[in-house]
Amino acid sequence: MSIMKVGIIGGSNIATSVHLPLLSCMDDITIEYIAARKNPKILAKLYDTKPIQITENSSLPECDIALITIPVGVRNEYLYQFAKTDSYVLTEKPFAIDLETHQNILELSNRFSCNYERIFFNTTQNIKNIISSEIFGKIKKISISEGTVYGKTGIKKNSYRNDPKLSGGFLNESACHTLSQLNFLFDHLNVESANIIWQDNFDIESSIVFNTDHKDSFIIEYLGTNLKNIKPNFTIIFEEIKIEFNHIVPDSIFTISQLNSNEKFTLQQENKFATTFPEAYYLKWHDFLNKVSSSSKLNSEFETSLKTTQLISDIFEKGAKK
């Protein structure tokens, strides 16, 4: 593969702590520039590249790949720009703030991807293999819970985080990762019901019931919240046993037990995928670059997880304010 020039748009924490260190160590990659609203010179100096100060009407130089980590609600103009130049684009999640925007952007180019890196977790890949093998029989039910209390300390009144049109609430900012895992594990998911708690036009808690659209249909009960801290848990109930694990970490332990017993055992796993967060990001970049080098276009509906945006849209519709 020839040298790929990567432009970095956004000096976010995830860009500085993960993406830039990874890219700086990769063969066939050169960091062409770093564009940010605040102090791009400092960051660019660390990586010996060109700094670009983002202003209200910034037009960015062309590059082979654009990594966009700025907030979802303010990135559309750059997606439009890079679509016109036929650049490949990798964004941080979520890809778009709503389904209509997502679909409209995909009409512009087939070179978009989004960093839903959890599908590269050892945890996610191993549970997919277990489910596919049917070694424990058919699934009867799944229960998922997760939650972290977020405050607004230090956030300015005019910050994008206080504008639901720019940043989104719990579903777009946090639950989208878990929904992307569900879409990776199961082909067809439908939203049966949704109860959403709202605060200042942000969704802060969602109780959702999904069902799977096939002959052995089962329900998935999901609770996600910003109102309290909940230990992440993903429980799969099969015909005679259940498996529990933490779906938000790459190296979760799988606990297995019979339905009629309190005795628990640890299920041995193979470590063929990411067991740390940086490894998951590396595997996403490795997969993305392989696809870029082997084809002039991507399956952008899959790459950007259009199904995840569709699920969130359906959840909002079912849980709309009364």
Side-chain angles (χ1 to χ4, degrees), residues 50-61:
K50 178 183 178 182
I52 297 176
Q53 184 76 46
I54 293 180
T55 59
E56 190 170 338
N57 297 308
S58 293
S59 180
L60 299 176

Side-chain angles (χ1 to χ4, degrees), residues 114-304:
C114 185
N115 186 32
Y116 283 111
E117 81 286 345
R118 282 195 200 170
I119 68 172
F120 296 97
F121 281 5
N122 207 58
T123 302
T124 309
Q125 293 285 339
N126 281 342
I127 199 63
K128 184 175 179 67
N129 289 337
I130 290 170
I131 292 169
S132 301
S133 72
E134 296 188 349
I135 191 171
F136 298 118
K138 304 294 185 182
I139 296 175
K140 296 301 182 182
K141 180 182 176 181
I142 292 177
S143 297
I144 306 168
S145 57
E146 57 189 358
T148 303
V149 177
Y150 290 120
K152 292 188 176 182
T153 304
I155 298 176
K156 296 180 181 179
K157 187 176 181 180
N158 62 349
S159 168
Y160 79 91
R161 293 184 184 179
N162 288 322
D163 187 344
K165 294 180 180 178
L166 296 182
S167 65
F170 184 81
L171 286 168
N172 269 316
E173 291 293 324
S174 298
C176 64
H177 270 306
T178 300
L179 298 179
S180 75
Q181 288 172 290
L182 286 176
N183 278 318
F184 178 71
L185 295 174
F186 307 108
D187 290 333
H188 303 289
L189 291 177
N190 298 311
V191 180
E192 188 172 297
S193 64
N195 181 37
I196 300 176
I197 297 176
W198 300 84
Q199 184 180 78
D200 299 330
N201 292 317
F202 284 92
D203 58 290
I204 58 173
E205 181 172 292
S206 293
S207 298
I208 308 161
V209 177
F210 303 96
N211 61 58
T212 55
D213 187 16
H214 55 72
K215 64 177 182 178
D216 298 312
S217 182
F218 55 88
I219 66 168
I220 301 172
E221 295 179 340
Y222 172 86
L223 171 64
T225 182
N226 278 151
L227 295 177
K228 54 190 172 184
N229 292 318
I230 298 177
K231 184 178 180 180
N233 180 266
F234 196 119
T235 299
I236 305 178
I237 298 176
F238 293 93
E239 294 167 327
E240 296 182 359
I241 67 100
K242 67 177 179 180
I243 295 176
E244 299 175 86
F245 58 95
N246 181 345
H247 58 288
I248 76 169
V249 297
D251 59 344
S252 178
I253 294 172
F254 287 4
T255 300
I256 185 171
S257 60
Q258 292 185 320
L259 297 182
N260 59 356
S261 172
N262 292 324
E263 192 172 12
K264 296 184 178 182
F265 302 90
T266 298
L267 193 62
Q268 193 69 33
Q269 298 183 62
E270 289 186 315
N271 293 331
K272 291 186 176 181
F273 291 87
T275 58
T276 67
F277 289 100
E279 284 178 340
Y281 281 76
Y282 171 79
L283 289 178
K284 171 59 186 180
W285 270 106
H286 183 71
D287 179 74
F288 178 59
L289 292 171
N290 280 343
K291 290 173 179 175
V292 166
S293 65
S294 62
S295 176
S296 61
K297 61 182 181 180
L298 304 174
N299 178 1
S300 286
E301 286 193 6
F302 172 80
E303 287 292 314
T304 62

Side-chain angles (χ1 to χ4, degrees), residues 3 9 39 49 72 80 108 124 207 247 272 304 306:
I3 298 294
I9 298 88
N39 302 321
T49 191
V72 62
Y80 297 147
L108 302 174
T124 309
S207 298
H247 58 288
K272 291 186 176 181
T304 62
L306 181 64

Side-chain angles (χ1 to χ4, degrees), residues 18-35:
V18 184
H19 287 294
L20 281 166
L22 278 176
L23 291 171
S24 67
C25 296
M26 285 184 172
D27 296 331
D28 302 323
I29 287 290
T30 179
I31 300 171
E32 186 72 0
Y33 59 82
I34 298 174

Side-chain angles (χ1 to χ4, degrees), residues 27-83:
D27 296 331
D28 302 323
I29 287 290
T30 179
I31 300 171
E32 186 72 0
Y33 59 82
I34 298 174
R37 295 186 182 276
K38 294 182 179 180
N39 302 321
K41 290 183 179 180
I42 297 174
L43 193 55
K45 186 176 181 180
L46 289 174
Y47 291 95
D48 191 26
T49 191
K50 178 183 178 182
I52 297 176
Q53 184 76 46
I54 293 180
T55 59
E56 190 170 338
N57 297 308
S58 293
S59 180
L60 299 176
E62 292 186 18
C63 53
D64 297 313
I65 298 173
L67 170 65
I68 301 180
T69 69
I70 58 177
V72 62
V74 294
R75 69 170 63 136
N76 286 355
E77 63 178 291
Y78 301 110
L79 294 175
Y80 297 147
Q81 177 185 333
F82 288 113

